[in-house]
Amino acid sequence: MTYFTLPHSCHFSLDIVFNYEMLKVGSLDLTSGLSGKIKKDEVLFAVDRYEKYHASFGGLDEERKANYMDMVNKYYDLATSFYEYGWGESFHFAPRWKGESLRESIKRHEHFLALQLGLKPGQKVLDVGCGIGGPLREIARFSSTYVTGINNNEYQITRGKVLNRAAGVEQNCNFEKGDFMKMPFPDNSFDAVYAIEATCHAPDAVGCYKEIYRVLKPGQYFAADEWCMTDVFDPNNKDHQQIKAEIELGDGLPDIRSTRQCLAALKEVGFEIIWEKDLAKDSPLPWYLPLDTSQFSLDNFRVTPVGRFFTRNMVKAFEWMGLAPKGSQRVQAFLEKAAEGLFAGGKKEIFTPMYFFLARKPK
């Protein structure tokens, strides 16, 4: 998921930002990775093509689903550096206690997933849609397991391998480039599978869950956080439609499914549902708090209004100087728009990034 809006303040020392332990990527690192694997002189064209997939620019749901690999790859080539710059290595939300930092809540939620799966030392685990590997590194260290991340974006895998080496976890963590709709693994390969806010990119939930079912060993568990529209969402409400479209544009999504659709897809594939719940409902602090522009916190300084203002102008300056490719400002703009959509969706309770389920493949 989505956390791209960004950074420092004109009124605070830049040292506060650049040295803040969670936010390891500085402004020069941001510019060096802005285009991912896309050539710098092709970024503007890639932005145009990406935007045209979406409803705000006349795109159709079926077109996004049919071209999901191209759309999602372009999205993560364009957005990954913004994500890491503004959010850290784990691109997801988490239930959060009062007095708990965003980083602490994210780490605790990753431990929660490991515990729900009942992971044991030495097991082989699959992270479906692993990003740059923040969760897989944390879960591997926490549970002493071997975690493989599958990802179809070459830039994210390259970045993830660098971070694996820096963390010293190459023996326990690795990456496989591939489409999670057609995974390059034999049947019954893994002792556990999880997906954190990733399978929402799949064009078809049944097809995606079927592949996960195939590679999971019988009797073992699949846990996931899904991005979903809730029962409060009204498809005939224009305001609701606009919020959904903003989230899809800013987060590289073909079509956001409902919680009911995800549950039905799991059952259709053959999974036994152990339990399921929208974890956003009981979170003491709202999941969208980091995106609330009325809040200020050094913990999330890069997503505050002052931080966003700084980043917006920094990217503009770098693009003008030629340090960032043309089109970077437009990427930053649609990511900010997505943040607004996520915040509105959360406030209206029509959207959740944390529809959690634990399912088992029968023996």
Side-chain angles (χ1 to χ4, degrees), residues 2 7 13 36 95 128 132 162 165 176 213 231 237 275-276 283 307 320 349:
T2 309
S13 166
V128 177
I132 59 174
V162 170
R165 287 194 294 272
E176 184 77 31
Y213 187 95
D231 289 342
N237 183 307
W275 70 283
E276 49 84 25
S283 179
W320 180 78
E349 299 183 348

Side-chain angles (χ1 to χ4, degrees), residues 232-245:
V232 180
F233 174 73
D234 178 2
N236 298 313
N237 183 307
K238 289 188 177 180
D239 186 36
H240 290 192
Q241 291 173 2
Q242 179 64 27
I243 290 169
K244 181 174 180 283

Side-chain angles (χ1 to χ4, degrees), residues 43-64:
V43 167
L44 192 58
F45 172 77
V47 174
D48 278 333
R49 184 167 175 79
Y50 172 76
E51 288 178 337
K52 287 175 182 175
Y53 279 126
H54 291 275
S56 303
F57 294 83
L60 302 174
D61 288 354
E62 292 308 313
E63 185 182 8
R64 291 198 298 278

